[in-house]
Amino acid sequence: RNDMRQSSKFSHHEPCDCGSSDGRAVYKDGSKYCFVCKTFWRSNDAREDEKVETMGHRIDELSSAALESRGISREVAEEYGVLVEYDEATREELAYYFPRTKNGQVTGYQVRYLPKEFRSIGDTKNCELFGQSHMGDGGKFIIVCEGNEDTLAARQMLLSLGKNYRVVGLPNGANIQAVRNNLEWLEKFECVVFALDQDKPGRECAQEAAELLSPGRSRI
């Protein structure tokens, strides 16, 4: 979050897991923030490491549920394998776990600690598109969104309109690498629509992604 980044002085830039060569800023307290994929890492003090380890051991105990703060239904969250963690005392939402897959198998999670802090657990590098393992293998039409919650929201919106369109998401924000890694899978669809954010990174990523596909196959 902005207040967390401002509380510590900048140290240097470094490569990020999303593929950016220098987009991740490292701060004096050990926290990090990538301005490309918009991921925040807490400082690596003992207390935070202990929290991550504890939460990691509890993943098997979590289940899919509605993302109440985002208005996403349990049915859509369950379809994408999204897990929700609650405060045991208050039952308030603590975190959302968005699965990352390879060859259809979950290898890790991108975790959003509410309201907006992120950490990756397990193997989340060079993964499939978010939701890819649940959307079948080829067809007439698929939509590619930017990020986890946009993907869920688009799928839910379309279902509410009676449109059973398949929707997947870029796992690391407006980063073209996930499209390159899964280009063969996307080419199995007759039409691929890139519905990314309308900021400059989103527009540029959509244009570059569309140009990777066979002529006439992509839309923005």
Side-chain angles (χ1 to χ4, degrees):
R1 293 179 299 181
N2 288 335
D3 57 337
M4 287 189 175
R5 294 202 304 276
Q6 290 170 357
S7 66
S8 179
K9 293 183 178 181
F10 172 77
S11 173
H12 61 277
H13 285 285
E14 67 178 17
C16 180
D17 296 341
C18 71
S20 171
S21 61
D22 62 352
R24 183 158 62 187
V26 181
Y27 297 86
K28 297 292 186 180
D29 66 352
S31 62
K32 302 177 182 181
Y33 181 79
C34 179
F35 290 87
V36 177
C37 65
K38 302 179 176 64
T39 300
F40 175 79
W41 290 263
R42 298 171 184 265
S43 59
N44 293 320
D45 55 48
R47 187 169 127 187
E48 295 300 341
D49 286 346
E50 181 180 356
K51 179 177 180 181
V52 171
E53 181 180 357
T54 301
M55 297 180 85
H57 285 308
R58 294 180 57 188
I59 289 178
D60 290 342
E61 301 174 14
L62 303 179
S63 60
S64 295
L67 279 59
E68 296 177 2
S69 74
R70 307 300 292 175
I72 302 298
S73 70
R74 181 192 62 80
E75 290 76 15
V76 171
E78 187 173 43
E79 179 180 23
Y80 285 79
V82 181
L83 307 177
V84 180
E85 182 173 20
Y86 298 94
D87 185 295
E88 294 181 357
T90 66
R91 294 302 296 170
E92 292 181 352
E93 294 177 322
L94 290 179
Y96 301 144
Y97 290 68
F98 301 99
R100 294 295 181 255
T101 61
K102 293 182 181 181
N103 298 317
Q105 301 298 314
V106 176
T107 60
Y109 290 88
Q110 184 183 70
V111 187
R112 174 172 182 162
Y113 303 108
L114 300 178
K116 197 173 182 180
E117 299 168 23
F118 298 90
R119 185 182 289 272
S120 295
I121 294 177
D123 182 3
T124 61
K125 295 181 180 179
N126 299 317
C127 291
E128 296 169 333
L129 299 168
F130 174 53
Q132 179 174 328
S133 61
H134 302 284
M135 293 293 125
D137 201 22
K140 290 185 174 297
F141 189 80
I142 193 165
I143 300 171
V144 181
C145 292
E146 181 180 333
N148 303 305
E149 289 156 347
D150 285 356
T151 303
L152 300 176
R155 174 69 170 163
Q156 180 165 303
M157 176 187 67
L158 291 166
L159 288 174
S160 72
L161 297 173
K163 307 292 186 181
N164 191 26
Y165 295 155
R166 286 173 280 188
V167 185
V168 295
L170 300 180
N172 295 304
N175 187 287
I176 195 65
Q177 190 59 47
V179 177
R180 292 195 182 100
N181 292 344
N182 298 284
L183 189 60
E184 182 178 349
W185 183 79
L186 289 170
E187 283 281 350
K188 295 178 181 179
F189 292 88
E190 294 180 19
C191 181
V192 181
V193 178
F194 292 98
L196 308 187
D197 290 357
Q198 290 302 294
D199 55 11
K200 183 179 179 181
R203 293 195 304 270
E204 291 178 350
C205 183
Q207 185 64 45
E208 188 175 354
E211 293 172 357
L212 289 175
L213 292 166
S214 300
R217 193 178 303 275
S218 59
R219 302 287 187 275
I220 297 176

